[in-house]
Amino acid sequence: MNRKYLPLALGLLSALTPLAAAVAAVSPEEAAQLGKTLTAVGAERAGNADGTIPEWTPSERKGALSGEYPSIPEIEAEAALFTITAKNMADYAEHLTAGHRELLTRFPDSYKMKVYPSHRTVTFPEKTQQETIKNATRAHLDGVDNPSGAYVGFPFPIPKSGAEPIWNHRVKYRGDSVRRFNNQMIVQPDGHFTLTKIVEDVKFTYYADPDAAEPQELKPGADFIRYLSETVSPPRYAGTVILVHEKAGFGTEGRSAWLYAPALKRIRRAPAVCCDNPYEGTDGHMFYDQIDMYNGVLERFTWKLVGKREIYIPYNSFRIAGPSVKYADIAAPNHVNPELPRYELHRVWVVEAENRPDQRHTFKKRRFYVDEDSWNVVAIDNYDHQDQLMQFQEGHLVPIHASLWASTIPEVIYHLNSGRYFVTSMINEDQPYDMSLEMTDRNFSAENVQKRTSK
């Protein structure tokens, strides 16, 4: 090689090396640690060195598939260890998200974070665990939206690229179906709020038949979630129905969606049910890709796996998710009532997503915090195109022991530019999740929606 080109070649090699490492396959030696030093789904089994994060101890608690709110009474009875405020936040800064630092700084007289002992009890069915171990060496991700080779479990328990933890979140185990009574509220800076009620049916087709001779593969074109929502109130939105078949793949191939509007009295294809378009009935306070913290195609961003950090995140949030708390108790001026959330120190995967120059999105950058035990996204820092923190999302995680999974109840989106915040996934004054219903593919067809709404 001509010597004058050697520095350029070395520079290119240096630039490409991190990318190659990021997408390298999991070695058999690494995969062999699953179920040993790592849990079957990829979390570090041991606690941290100073004991502030405990060893993973899966819960053996059982429960009913319907009619029960998530609860672990002995955890709910614990007292806070300490409270983080604007005055002492510098002592804990390395364990705080940018969003929490902003709330502490912006509202020094009212916002605080009560920190409790950490507990790691989230576990999954044996079949999901064993198939996740197998997925470590058989699953692949082409680009950011085309996974293949994964069956019945988390596809990437030992992630090597930024998109892989997000895929674990998107296809995390939640049983085969669930009905959720989703209550939402827009809270004004003075604490006044308006409520919307939605009933959601979800069929997790990826997990629908785990014992089949040929279980469904996570691959482009194959749907892994079917979602149906109907707005119940307020009257101006009542009767609106959204139907989604969530698939792996790019663009419209990654999602088929339909919208039924009562005024039109017909169901129609809805390609706008995507990305940073506002969800119907939220007055622009939640984008479609903010449902379940994050969902939908990944193609509008580049994804970087930053690594693991120990962060204070909402965890074992049984009180704020439970029936003893009313919606008016949650809503407070500027932020959620700080007496209700429970924060614990946990290890999270940090992923940064940058908006691609050739793709439009309201956010220029998003920083995701993904719980290592459940693969739930539990917090997101969202930045605008002037590099200012525009929104902060946090999901209050609770284990669902009845069917062995975890969910974020409720989820909060702080609109830092307007002073309002949006709370979704509340069940406090309604019914808890119902996982006992049998849902068929027919329930999730456009024809069935049109027939049902025409009565």
Side-chain angles (χ1 to χ4, degrees):
M1 177 184 289
N2 189 316
R3 287 183 177 272
K4 72 176 183 177
Y5 295 116
L6 183 58
L8 175 61
L10 290 175
L12 287 171
L13 179 61
S14 175
L16 289 172
T17 299
L19 179 61
V23 298
V26 174
S27 70
E29 292 76 18
E30 288 178 291
Q33 297 308 308
L34 293 168
K36 298 176 184 175
T37 59
L38 301 177
T39 69
V41 302
E44 295 176 49
R45 183 182 290 268
N48 63 0
D50 60 10
T52 50
I53 295 176
E55 180 182 4
W56 174 68
T57 308
S59 174
E60 297 182 359
R61 186 178 299 272
K62 304 296 181 184
L65 293 177
S66 64
E68 287 188 2
Y69 290 87
S71 178
I72 301 181
E74 55 270 31
I75 290 180
E76 296 177 69
E78 291 177 336
L81 297 173
F82 56 89
T83 300
I84 302 173
T85 66
K87 292 181 179 179
N88 66 5
M89 63 179 286
D91 297 335
Y92 306 100
E94 65 177 309
H95 301 303
L96 296 173
T97 66
H100 285 128
R101 292 197 300 271
E102 178 66 22
L103 291 171
L104 287 162
T105 301
R106 186 172 291 212
F107 308 111
D109 297 327
S110 60
Y111 188 76
K112 59 185 178 181
M113 299 171 63
K114 299 177 72 172
V115 178
Y116 293 78
S118 300
H119 299 272
R120 300 174 60 202
T121 65
V122 175
T123 189
F124 300 96
E126 185 65 22
K127 180 74 172 180
T128 299
Q129 295 188 50
Q130 293 308 311
E131 293 299 323
T132 297
I133 292 174
K134 296 176 185 177
N135 286 342
T137 52
R138 70 187 178 190
H140 302 278
L141 184 60
D142 180 14
V144 296
D145 279 307
N146 288 329
S148 61
Y151 300 85
V152 194
F154 295 92
F156 308 110
I158 304 177
K160 297 293 184 179
S161 71
E164 291 179 354
I166 305 304
W167 269 104
N168 288 341
H169 166 78
R170 291 186 70 195
V171 298
K172 57 185 179 285
Y173 179 79
R174 287 170 279 189
D176 60 6
S177 63
V178 64
R179 173 167 292 170
R180 180 169 76 163
F181 300 87
N182 179 0
N183 293 273
Q184 306 176 338
M185 62 181 171
I186 301 167
V187 186
Q188 302 298 328
D190 63 2
H192 285 84
F193 63 91
T194 55
L195 277 171
T196 300
K197 178 177 179 178
I198 301 172
V199 179
E200 300 166 318
D201 286 349
V202 189
K203 182 179 174 69
F204 304 102
T205 53
Y206 179 58
Y207 292 100
D209 197 1
D211 297 317
E214 295 184 7
Q216 179 173 308
E217 179 184 359
L218 181 64
K219 63 181 180 180
D223 66 75
F224 56 88
I225 290 176
R226 295 190 177 184
Y227 169 90
L228 179 67
S229 75
E230 180 172 358
T231 302
V232 177
S233 64
R236 68 181 183 277
Y237 299 126
T240 302
V241 177
I242 296 172
L243 172 64
V244 174
H245 293 181
E246 193 78 332
K247 306 176 183 180
F250 289 92
T252 55
E253 294 179 359
R255 169 175 289 174
S256 297
W258 297 261
L259 174 68
Y260 176 86
L264 299 177
K265 298 187 182 304
R266 65 182 178 89
I267 191 166
R268 56 184 173 81
R269 291 297 294 264
V273 175
C274 171
C275 311
D276 58 344
N277 292 311
Y279 190 98
E280 297 292 323
T282 66
D283 289 341
H285 286 84
M286 182 173 70
F287 298 145
Y288 278 107
D289 68 6
Q290 292 179 300
I291 299 170
D292 191 31
M293 298 298 290
Y294 182 84
N295 75 95
V297 294
L298 281 69
E299 63 182 4
R300 298 196 180 192
F301 294 85
T302 59
W303 299 83
K304 176 184 177 182
L305 186 64
V306 177
K308 273 192 182 178
R309 288 181 58 191
E310 296 181 0
I311 297 288
Y312 292 114
I313 56 176
Y315 218 100
N316 291 307
S317 304
F318 301 109
R319 186 181 180 197
I320 196 172
S324 66
V325 168
K326 306 303 180 185
Y327 302 141
D329 298 329
I330 295 174
N334 302 315
H335 50 72
V336 164
N337 179 353
E339 297 297 332
L340 300 178
R342 176 192 177 100
Y343 292 94
E344 298 181 2
L345 188 66
H346 285 264
R347 285 184 292 249
V348 298
W349 288 99
V350 180
V351 174
E352 290 189 353
E354 293 273 357
N355 186 206
R356 288 173 48 183
D358 61 333
Q359 297 282 338
R360 181 197 62 79
H361 200 283
T362 300
F363 301 137
K364 179 182 179 182
K365 183 174 76 172
R366 303 166 108 160
R367 185 181 297 113
F368 293 78
Y369 303 86
V370 187
D371 172 43
E372 69 165 345
D373 288 314
S374 68
W375 291 110
N376 274 267
V377 173
V378 291
I380 311 174
D381 302 319
N382 296 314
Y383 292 83
D384 64 20
H385 286 263
Q386 286 71 49
D387 298 313
Q388 298 299 308
L389 188 62
M390 178 181 178
Q391 291 183 11
F392 173 58
Q393 294 173 245
E394 65 172 358
H396 296 257
L397 193 74
V398 290
I400 310 290
H401 292 109
S403 54
L404 301 181
W405 51 289
S407 187
T408 41
I409 313 173
E411 299 166 9
V412 186
I413 305 174
Y414 289 101
H415 290 253
L416 300 171
N417 53 354
S418 71
R420 293 186 292 269
Y421 63 95
F422 181 76
V423 189
T424 183
S425 305
M426 298 186 297
I427 60 175
N428 310 68
E429 297 180 41
D430 214 308
Q431 302 177 51
Y433 288 11
D434 188 345
M435 298 159 284
S436 67
L437 302 175
E438 183 176 342
M439 299 182 187
T440 67
D441 291 345
R442 184 176 178 274
N443 296 120
F444 299 90
S445 70
E447 295 78 12
N448 188 62
V449 171
Q450 182 67 61
K451 182 179 179 180
R452 190 186 76 183
T453 52
S454 298
K455 292 180 179 179

